[in-house]
Amino acid sequence: MRPLTEDETKTVFEKLANYIGRNITHLINRPDDPHCFRLQKDRVYYVSERVMRFATSVGRVELMSLGICLGKFTKTGKFRLHITSLEILAQYARYKIWIKPNGEMSYLYGNNVLKAHVGKMSDDIPEHTGIIVFAMNDIPMGFGVTAKSTADARRLDPTGIVAFRQGDIGEYLREEDTLFT
């Protein structure tokens, strides 16, 4: 377990900024319980500083996980968000899309968000921006990237793709054997 380097921090913050914007400051500057980012086996964790101090007494080989796993670095140096980061992303989300109950199962099976499934969406969402997908009862279901802006999405036909899925809570079941390796 080690702190992120400057380049790693920049890469992680750029990815997070795509979803939560300037709310990144709320992740770091928490007066109630300070948190930090740590790297363990190519995975980035968001962890309380108090818990991090306790984890220093555990060896690197024995330490499996620590805090909330935000994602992992690929071999090429890119950062990929994991579905485990959904709790943090949903809390500070800048742009949101709510899907109707008839589209929830389709989304959880790994499909993109279609216009027919959109119940409501945030105003002025730009094209190719990170969004958080919610059920109509405000349960976070996943995250993705918009295919069209809000204005363009309103003019789409019902089978048009509004957002590309990047992660959803159905991954826990579909990829349970490979998610945590």
Side-chain angles (χ1 to χ4, degrees), residues 107-158:
Y107 183 74
L108 294 178
Y109 284 138
N111 297 318
N112 297 321
V113 178
L114 302 178
K115 168 75 162 64
H117 297 152
V118 174
K120 61 182 178 176
M121 59 193 303
S122 300
D123 293 331
D124 301 327
I125 301 176
E127 190 172 2
H128 305 300
T129 302
I131 51 104
I132 307 301
V133 178
F134 288 89
M136 290 303 284
N137 54 358
D138 286 332
I139 295 174
M141 298 182 68
F143 54 89
V145 176
T146 56
K148 304 281 184 187
S149 65
T150 303
D152 293 340
R154 290 194 174 118
R155 291 187 293 254
L156 276 177
D157 62 321

Side-chain angles (χ1 to χ4, degrees), residues 1-19:
M1 175 182 67
R2 66 169 176 80
L4 275 64
T5 65
E6 199 169 310
D7 289 339
E8 291 168 342
T9 304
K10 182 181 177 206
T11 305
V12 170
F13 280 11
E14 284 174 354
K15 183 63 96 167
L16 288 174
N18 193 26
Y19 291 93

Side-chain angles (χ1 to χ4, degrees), residues 85-120:
S85 66
L86 182 62
E87 176 186 338
I88 300 296
L89 295 176
Q91 186 177 1
Y92 297 110
R94 186 170 48 167
Y95 299 116
K96 303 173 184 179
I97 291 180
W98 288 265
I99 56 177
K100 297 175 186 173
N102 64 346
E104 289 177 8
M105 288 306 293
S106 174
Y107 183 74
L108 294 178
Y109 284 138
N111 297 318
N112 297 321
V113 178
L114 302 178
K115 168 75 162 64
H117 297 152
V118 174
K120 61 182 178 176

